[in-house]
Amino acid sequence: MRGALDEVDDRELVRRHVAGDPDAFGELFARHRDRMWGVALSVCRDPELAADAVQDGFLAAFRRAEGYRGDAAVTTWLHRVVVNACLDRLRRARPTDSLDDLDERASTRLPSRPDGTAQVDTRLLVQDALAALPEPQRLVLVLVDMHGVPVAEAARMLGVAEGTVKSRGSRGRAALAAVLRAGTPDGARTSDDEGGIAPPGRTGPAASAGGEA
């Protein structure tokens, strides 16, 4: 049946799913699961939480597809649903798991050593540097910079003003750049949750950045 749906666009698949087509949502899932997994893993930093969030997100999309109005791309709608599922999972995890616990669990399950190529080395350094960022900044960089979500849509997903998204993105990029220039992901966080990270022994905009409105 997938062959018959290959040429059907995403919006039409949603319409068909709402109308009762038993195969339409399976095609949407097959098209977008890998990208949504990448989003969830970047947000949650833990494979188990990410897998649960992707499952929660697609289940919510399956059940609530009637609420999709078509004013945004289906991928944007799925981003929103999956990010919300990630945030719900993180909130539920926090009473028993600190962010440090999640970082430690993630580090035991995700690749932590370069395979000898500069490309993989850089990718792992970026991954570790992102994990060290405060969550509000990391979410903005994941959505806007890594997955191309427009600022206005990211603001709606996160429930904050567009200016806050821009500010968090700016601080997060500065902190990330400082870590990458230093060549180490082990930056120290500032005491402010919205602050950046700074490589050991270095100071700069990311190290001195305060909170934001």
Side-chain angles (χ1 to χ4, degrees):
M1 180 58 68
R2 277 204 65 194
L5 296 174
D6 284 346
E7 303 302 320
V8 179
D9 67 41
D10 287 346
R11 284 185 172 88
E12 176 62 15
L13 286 172
V14 173
R15 190 196 67 75
R16 292 188 187 186
H17 166 64
V18 171
D21 187 327
D23 300 306
F25 196 85
E27 175 66 19
L28 278 174
F29 176 76
R31 286 183 189 181
H32 300 295
R33 62 186 171 188
D34 290 344
R35 182 172 184 175
M36 295 306 123
W37 163 251
V39 171
L41 192 58
S42 297
V43 172
C44 294
R45 297 177 293 158
D46 177 84
E48 288 184 6
L49 283 179
D52 289 340
V54 170
Q55 178 175 308
D56 292 348
F58 274 105
L59 183 59
F62 181 90
R63 291 173 172 172
R64 303 170 191 165
E66 289 182 356
Y68 173 68
R69 298 185 301 274
D71 53 348
V74 171
T75 51
T76 301
W77 171 62
L78 288 174
H79 270 109
R80 183 188 305 140
V81 174
V82 170
V83 167
N84 285 338
C86 289
L87 296 178
D88 286 343
R89 281 283 172 178
L90 287 171
R91 280 190 288 266
R92 277 182 270 171
R94 279 178 186 152
T96 54
D97 293 336
S98 70
L99 288 179
D100 288 340
D101 292 334
L102 295 179
D103 282 340
E104 182 176 354
R105 286 163 57 193
S107 67
T108 64
R109 297 184 179 116
L110 294 173
S112 58
R113 296 177 182 273
D115 67 359
T117 69
Q119 182 178 6
V120 172
D121 190 25
T122 300
R123 178 177 58 80
L124 293 174
L125 182 59
V126 171
Q127 180 186 84
D128 288 344
L130 273 172
L133 286 174
E135 180 183 294
Q137 295 175 7
R138 188 179 73 256
L139 287 175
V140 169
L141 294 189
V142 168
L143 291 173
V144 176
D145 290 11
M146 295 176 63
H147 293 281
V149 175
V151 168
E153 181 60 28
R156 285 193 290 272
M157 288 182 187
L158 301 174
V160 299
E162 290 183 34
T164 300
V165 171
K166 293 176 182 178
S167 177
R168 289 176 180 176
S170 178
R171 293 178 188 279
R173 291 179 201 105
L176 195 63
V179 171
L180 295 177
R181 282 197 301 269
T184 173
D186 298 322
R189 297 189 191 192
T190 64
S191 59
D192 190 314
D193 285 342
E194 292 293 323
I197 53 177
R202 292 187 57 171
T203 59
S208 60
E212 55 210 51

